[in-house]
Amino acid sequence: VEVLEGQEMTRFSTLRLRDAGDIVVVRDFSGLQKFLAYALQNRLSYTPLGLGSNMILQKRSHHVYVRLDFPWDTKDLDTPRE
């Protein structure tokens, strides 16, 4: 897991809007589990990036954006996990 604070978000926006935000880059499933546990414990709001949604990113959002940087299948989201 890598935390990038105050990052330029242009490359994550389909409309190439010039915004900045904090990004958590998750590189494996174990890292995702750890991040989600941390976010839940600390009441941290987050928004996933790169899941096919065309989002308008908020300027200096009060939550973090999460980027999954590992191969995964949408079927992995069908079943609740710990």
Side-chain angles (χ1 to χ4, degrees):
V1 175
E2 182 179 8
V3 178
L4 307 171
E5 295 183 50
Q7 293 296 298
E8 172 65 42
M9 301 295 286
T10 305
R11 67 185 172 132
F12 298 107
S13 169
T14 303
L15 301 175
R16 301 293 183 220
L17 302 174
R18 293 190 182 270
D19 294 326
D22 299 334
I23 304 172
V24 174
V25 180
V26 179
R27 304 208 189 280
D28 58 32
F29 189 76
S30 173
L32 179 59
Q33 289 176 308
K34 290 175 185 173
F35 168 74
L36 292 175
Y38 175 85
L40 181 63
Q41 181 179 12
N42 293 281
R43 298 181 186 192
L44 179 65
S45 297
Y46 58 89
T47 300
L49 289 175
L51 300 178
S53 59
N54 294 323
M55 300 168 43
I56 296 177
L57 306 173
Q58 301 175 14
K59 290 188 181 288
R60 288 308 287 165
S61 175
H62 294 288
H63 62 272
V64 298
Y65 294 99
V66 179
R67 178 134 199 293
L68 303 182
D69 191 20
F70 63 94
W72 61 280
D73 189 323
T74 56
K75 292 177 184 175
D76 294 338
L77 303 175
D78 290 343
T79 306
R81 299 178 186 217
E82 293 290 321

